[in-house]
Amino acid sequence: MRYLVFAANWKMNIGPLEARYYLRSFLDAGPLPAGREVWFFPPAVSLEAVAQSIKSREQLLVGAQDIYWEPKGPYTGAISGPLASQAGARAVLVGHSERRHVFGETDEQTGKKMAAASAADLQPVLCVGETLEQREAGQTLAVVTRQLEAAFAGRPRSGRVTVAYEPVWAIGTGRNATPRDAAEVHTAIRAWMGAHKVGETRVLYGGSVNLKNAAELLAEPEIDGVLVGGASLDPHTWAELVRTGAT
Ligand code: PEP
């Protein structure tokens, strides 16, 4: 059976109370098709509400959008892996394009966060992807390879790892990569991960995925699932999207 992951990145939306309503509507849509997992990445303040709402349902998981690499201390405004874990997180996004391009996170910092995720027993979802300028200059694979090298530099190479290929030019723009373009990068990611013995790897695609283009993207065998921002904010749309193409 083919396994697919549908990851919802709520970004800076949906507080704890809204999260409880959201999950109620989402769960009311009925059981998930077999072979599918749905991961929620709410803002930190809503982690616990989501964790409590999904309880220990096997196909559902909650994760943090970001962590700082130190486990605790005087880092105002940050949350650590152990704190996210205490709130119910089992995974964490690392190096999301908005962390890199809005908050100036470097490749080296992404590497430290990968190590911190491992230390806190959080499954990392490493986000990689090129800007439009880099794509047009033919640098896509070089950029993605550099990001992988930095991310895995200090991390124990075992356990399950998920990589999300998210071209920066496709995030929140309404312009998605074609399944073929995504597949080319996914193949290169898998080859790099295999050559560096990183462990069991899943490669998701992210960037303007919606109800109209999800089926076409998911039909590509190189795509193990999707990471979705805008189209995950409404529980009814998201409930429909996670059933895309299921029989
Ligand atoms: C994201 O935030 O990771 C993302 C892919 O956003 P959107 O689906 O809105 O492009």
Side-chain angles (χ1 to χ4, degrees):
M1 181 191 293
R2 188 171 177 224
Y3 284 87
L4 292 173
V5 172
F6 295 79
N9 176 13
W10 290 353
K11 311 193 189 202
M12 202 169 70
N13 300 288
I14 311 186
L17 188 61
E18 294 164 303
R20 290 183 199 279
Y21 284 122
Y22 179 114
L23 263 301
R24 208 169 298 156
S25 302
F26 177 79
L27 295 172
D28 278 351
L32 282 175
R36 297 192 175 206
E37 286 177 29
V38 180
W39 300 359
F40 294 96
F41 293 92
V45 290
S46 302
L47 276 171
E48 202 168 356
V50 175
Q52 286 168 354
S53 299
I54 65 178
K55 298 203 178 74
S56 46
R57 281 186 174 80
E58 249 185 31
Q59 289 167 275
L60 304 183
L61 173 152
V62 60
Q65 293 177 9
D66 183 42
I67 51 168
Y68 190 58
W69 52 83
E70 294 294 344
K72 63 178 181 177
Y75 305 103
T76 303
I79 66 160
S80 66
L83 289 181
S85 175
Q86 246 185 69
R90 288 171 47 211
V92 58
L93 298 180
V94 178
H96 187 275
S97 130
E98 284 146 19
R99 299 302 317 171
R100 294 180 192 263
H101 297 284
V102 179
F103 296 98
E105 188 170 306
T106 64
D107 286 343
E108 194 203 345
Q109 290 171 339
T110 295
K112 289 183 179 181
K113 290 182 179 187
M114 288 293 282
S118 278
D121 212 13
L122 295 171
Q123 187 184 156
V125 179
L126 172 69
C127 304
V128 297
E130 82 288 1
T131 63
L132 187 57
E133 211 183 7
Q134 290 164 334
R135 168 159 284 259
E136 285 171 349
Q139 296 168 347
T140 299
L141 296 185
V143 169
V144 167
T145 304
R146 190 199 71 216
Q147 291 171 334
L148 291 171
E149 277 164 2
F152 290 102
R155 186 182 179 273
R157 294 183 171 179
S158 60
R160 186 180 263 195
V161 174
T162 301
V163 177
Y165 168 54
E166 297 209 300
V168 180
W169 49 269
I171 298 179
T173 59
R175 188 180 160 200
N176 61 287
T178 64
R180 205 158 149 210
D181 285 343
E184 189 192 339
V185 182
H186 285 215
T187 306
I189 291 171
R190 247 185 262 283
W192 190 95
M193 302 290 272
H196 293 80
K197 303 195 174 18
V198 172
E200 195 188 328
T201 306
R202 287 194 276 204
V203 189
L204 314 184
Y205 167 76
S208 295
V209 176
N210 56 38
L211 281 176
K212 287 199 186 120
N213 58 24
E216 195 195 0
L217 286 159
L218 291 166
E220 165 53 57
E222 275 291 332
I223 296 179
D224 297 326
V226 286
L227 175 55
V228 183
S232 72
L233 295 180
D234 173 74
H236 306 287
T237 306
W238 185 235
E240 204 179 324
L241 206 153
V242 303
R243 290 170 175 79
T244 299
T247 47

